[in-house]
Amino acid sequence: MKPPTLSFHHHLHTPFLHNTTNLSLPRPTPSASRLSNGLFTVRMSLREDGPSVAIVGVTGAVGQEFLSVLSDRDFPYRSLKLLASKRSAGKSLTFEGHDYTVEELTENSFENVDIALFSAGGSISKKFGPIAVERGSVVVDNSSAFRMDEKIPLVIPEVNPEAMEHIKLKSGKSALIANPNCSTIICLMAATPLHRRAKVTRMVVSTYQAASGAGAAAMEELEQQTREVLEGKEPTCKIFKQQYAFNLFSHNAPILSNGYNEEEMKLVKETRKIWNDMNVKVTATCIRVPVMRAHAESVNLQFENPLDEDTAREILSNAPGLVVIDDRTANYFPTPLEVSNKDDVAVGRIRRDASQDGNYGLEIFVCGDQIRKGAALNAVQIAEKLL
């Protein structure tokens, strides 16, 4: 079986800012065309007719990935404003051949900004998101601050684009759109095409979540701990308060009164909102595993209507943003490593649930890049739909 091709991006790993003051990212020249010499593709997305874009939280892992995705997808923009905390303000950044200075996020940051991409945490979003909207921006927010607000669309473009179809830049109306949680996005990219065909009545999800979900500092600590453990040293435990390298543990989100943690309940509640189905039964167990930037999820689906595994495989093969990796003979299935730095979500282990009679249940295994499709890519795809 020939291995499937996943869309891969030849930019460097997300560059993290430590004490450095300069950062360089790939450069397109200002034009709407594209040039290629066979080895490199020169992307050209700075355009006079594009929207003005602001990135809030630009020095974080997702903020940096916003820049990579904007460049990779030739997203048109006429100006770019890079915003972060007072601590990061003043740092220099080179993006697409232009030098920028990171500015401190303030209430005056959103004058003449058309699209504001937020990834700076819930408290920042709650404070500054409404301010940006008031100033006329369309905000795409990556935090959990607004996801369950019934007035705010919660959008995965391949899944429920109709939820934001009333929002367009040229309409002159500002708005706020929420980006779902990373585990929800990755799960529903695979579950939704099957739900459309056979209607999911119950979904059981177990997640195996990467360090990137806790930010750049967690990724750095995993790398540091790995070195320390291999050298026989005590691991540095600042982010998770316990050893992460060569270990796994229940997701570090707070535990709620029902025994679930917040991450698990996000998947439950967000699925119901995105599918517009308050009756679908969803349960989840979320685990943190020592993987750098891609989540894996085991998903058990129970259907109202029968769906055999061959039909399911065909449906998934034709779904946008998905690649099927399902070679039983070679025991070759999705892995976090293979989907890292890639746009597509991979799905495999497609098989009938042997605990159910007939073709009313399926098991699938899904992997997706948490920083990319689980956050930055999804947000930029939302922004593309605004154009």
Side-chain angles (χ1 to χ4, degrees):
M1 175 180 177
K2 184 179 178 181
T5 302
L6 283 79
S7 52
F8 184 79
H9 301 279
H10 299 282
H11 55 76
L12 299 174
H13 289 291
T14 303
F16 304 119
L17 297 179
H18 303 282
N19 297 320
T20 58
T21 56
N22 292 288
L23 166 68
S24 294
L25 286 168
R27 156 78 177 127
T29 2
S31 164
S33 61
R34 179 181 292 190
L35 303 174
S36 177
N37 62 6
L39 293 175
F40 301 100
T41 299
V42 181
R43 302 185 183 282
M44 306 179 179
S45 46
L46 184 61
R47 290 168 41 173
E48 289 298 323
D49 61 344
S52 56
V53 176
I55 297 177
V56 179
V58 71
T59 56
V62 175
Q64 292 288 287
E65 199 72 19
F66 278 146
L67 292 172
S68 293
V69 174
L70 289 172
S71 182
D72 287 337
R73 296 178 72 84
D74 297 339
F75 186 90
Y77 61 91
R78 71 173 181 274
S79 66
L80 187 63
K81 183 178 284 192
L82 306 182
L83 302 168
S85 66
K86 186 175 183 178
R87 183 183 59 195
S88 297
K91 292 184 177 181
S92 299
L93 185 151
T94 301
F95 176 66
E96 300 195 340
H98 292 267
D99 295 326
Y100 297 88
T101 299
V102 177
E103 302 176 31
E104 180 183 357
L105 174 65
T106 70
E107 293 182 3
N108 299 316
S109 295
F110 301 100
E111 294 295 338
N112 300 314
V113 169
D114 296 318
I115 298 173
L117 303 175
F118 272 66
S119 189
S123 61
I124 296 296
S125 292
K126 285 178 182 177
K127 179 178 179 180
F128 289 99
I131 291 172
V133 171
E134 189 177 303
R135 299 291 165 88
S137 305
V138 176
V139 171
V140 184
D141 180 45
N142 194 56
S143 81
S144 60
F146 304 104
R147 288 176 187 155
M148 298 316 299
D149 186 323
E150 61 183 24
K151 298 176 184 176
I152 292 176
L154 183 65
V155 177
I156 305 171
E158 298 91 339
V159 172
N160 64 330
E162 67 282 354
M164 58 168 289
E165 63 186 2
H166 60 291
I167 304 172
K168 295 291 180 185
L169 282 183
K170 293 181 180 179
S171 69
K173 295 181 180 179
S174 56
L176 198 151
I177 303 168
N179 216 31
N181 192 40
C182 48
S183 54
T184 305
I185 293 173
I186 291 164
C187 176
L188 296 192
M189 283 291 293
T192 301
L194 306 177
H195 175 58
R196 288 179 181 140
R197 172 64 69 92
K199 187 172 174 52
V200 172
T201 57
R202 184 170 186 260
M203 180 166 72
V204 181
V205 185
S206 297
T207 72
Y208 312 96
Q209 296 185 219
S212 56
M219 298 170 76
E220 291 168 5
E221 184 165 292
L222 174 57
E223 195 171 329
Q224 179 183 356
Q225 280 193 13
T226 302
R227 289 197 197 96
E228 290 169 341
V229 172
L230 290 173
E231 292 169 1
K233 300 177 182 177
E234 277 293 313
T236 301
C237 302
K238 294 180 180 178
I239 305 299
F240 295 116
K241 311 303 180 188
Q242 61 183 306
Q243 181 176 325
Y244 190 16
F246 306 100
N247 192 24
L248 56 83
F249 44 82
S250 181
H251 194 282
N252 48 293
I255 301 292
L256 305 174
S257 60
N258 64 359
Y260 285 75
N261 63 43
E262 286 184 359
E263 186 79 2
E264 292 158 352
M265 290 310 299
K266 285 176 186 177
L267 212 158
V268 173
K269 293 176 181 178
E270 291 176 21
T271 296
R272 290 172 175 164
K273 179 174 178 178
I274 291 166
W275 280 356
N276 193 26
D277 184 354
M278 294 301 110
N279 295 318
V280 64
K281 297 176 181 177
V282 181
T283 186
T285 300
C286 295
I287 304 296
R288 188 73 76 181
V289 296
V291 169
M292 198 56 76
R293 60 173 287 158
H295 289 352
E297 305 186 24
S298 170
V299 184
N300 176 278
L301 300 166
Q302 185 173 340
F303 302 107
E304 183 176 286
N305 303 304
L307 178 64
D308 65 82
E309 64 183 45
D310 291 334
T311 303
R313 193 174 288 106
E314 181 181 358
I315 290 169
L316 295 170
S317 297
N318 292 313
L322 276 183
V323 60
V324 174
I325 302 176
D326 197 48
D327 188 342
R328 295 177 180 178
T329 303
N331 202 6
Y332 173 51
F333 303 106
T335 67
L337 194 60
E338 187 158 19
V339 299
S340 293
N341 292 293
K342 297 172 187 175
D343 286 351
D344 293 327
V345 171
V347 58
R349 297 302 317 277
I350 304 161
R351 62 203 189 277
R352 186 181 74 82
D353 179 355
S355 72
Q356 296 190 54
D357 294 331
N359 291 313
Y360 289 89
L362 282 175
E363 300 271 6
I364 58 176
F365 186 68
V366 188
C367 289
D369 188 301
Q370 182 274 330
I371 307 178
R372 206 157 177 101
K373 182 55 184 173
L377 171 62
N378 198 76
V380 172
Q381 287 175 312
I382 290 171
E384 288 172 343
K385 290 199 166 290
L386 298 170
L387 302 178

